Amino acid sequence: EIAKAVTPRGKIALKRGGSVLLIQAGAQAPDEAMRREAANNFSVTPFSGFAQRKNGATDSANVSRALRLTAAKGGNDFLIVYWETLEGGLRANGTLDWRAVRGDLPFDAEQVRLRLRVLIMDVKTAQWAVATPETLEDKSARGGWFRKPTSAQRVANLKERAYKHALQEVLR
């Protein structure tokens, strides 16, 4: 089985108009901006990114199989699972110190960025690939940016740009 897996395979044939089960890892549902952007390219079925646990552990092989079965039953050809990390950067000793932002934006960041990882899996074959699109940043933040009423909108704009960029990359 391992020898078979090591043999070169073709590229995953994710195409515009295909049907995908869209999952944001660790979220009840994919972010609305990602759902909208994905819907510009695919027929989208949003799905929960919370893993089902048995006896306190998650068996990745069983989770993968269950997600593929769910996607197949829903008429989806591919799974797209994405992980995002929003980070704020604060200058210390001439370099930016990046920290993950969870919930409220707690400090005076000079910049903010969004890092994404995207897994694409063919439901029939279980062939998969991971893309790590270029990290997009908003460099216009200056002390106190997060405390301004517009900060939520600027994060939303950054997410929209990052999602569009990520989906363009996986379609290449």
Side-chain angles (χ1 to χ4, degrees):
E1 190 175 335
I2 293 172
K4 242 170 83 175
V6 173
T7 59
R9 297 177 289 186
K11 187 177 176 187
I12 294 179
L14 184 60
K15 292 184 172 55
R16 285 193 202 296
S19 180
V20 300
L21 186 70
L22 181 65
I23 301 168
Q24 180 178 351
Q28 184 65 38
D31 201 353
E32 184 60 34
M34 177 59 114
R35 288 169 40 181
R36 277 193 314 272
E37 191 57 45
N40 289 334
N41 298 289
F42 313 107
S43 171
V44 176
T45 303
F47 197 74
S48 173
F50 290 127
Q52 298 296 320
R53 298 184 185 273
K54 283 186 178 180
N55 301 328
T58 301
D59 178 348
S60 62
N62 287 337
V63 170
S64 173
R65 180 168 282 136
L67 286 174
R68 286 177 54 219
L69 180 59
T70 298
K73 285 182 175 181
N76 302 111
D77 302 313
F78 294 92
L79 289 169
I80 296 180
V81 181
Y82 70 100
W83 295 259
E84 67 178 32
T85 304
L86 181 66
E87 297 175 323
L90 187 60
R91 194 159 303 279
N93 299 324
T95 60
L96 278 175
D97 179 23
W98 291 101
R99 297 182 185 167
V101 175
R102 308 235 188 279
D104 288 339
L105 304 166
F107 60 97
D108 293 338
E110 295 180 35
Q111 294 182 25
V112 64
R113 69 182 180 187
L114 186 66
R115 293 186 304 125
L116 293 172
R117 284 181 306 157
V118 183
L119 174 124
I120 305 101
M121 181 181 282
D122 185 312
V123 171
K124 281 185 194 169
T125 67
Q127 184 179 347
W128 58 274
V130 173
T132 306
E134 175 187 0
T135 300
L136 297 185
E137 299 178 5
D138 183 328
K139 296 180 180 181
S140 62
R142 292 291 176 259
W145 177 82
F146 284 136
R147 300 192 198 312
K148 294 180 182 175
T150 59
S151 64
Q153 183 58 45
R154 294 178 77 172
V155 169
N157 291 342
L158 178 62
K159 284 184 173 191
E160 285 181 25
R161 287 183 20 234
Y163 296 153
K164 182 174 186 170
H165 178 73
L167 291 172
Q168 287 172 346
E169 187 166 312
V170 300
L171 281 166
R172 286 184 206 174

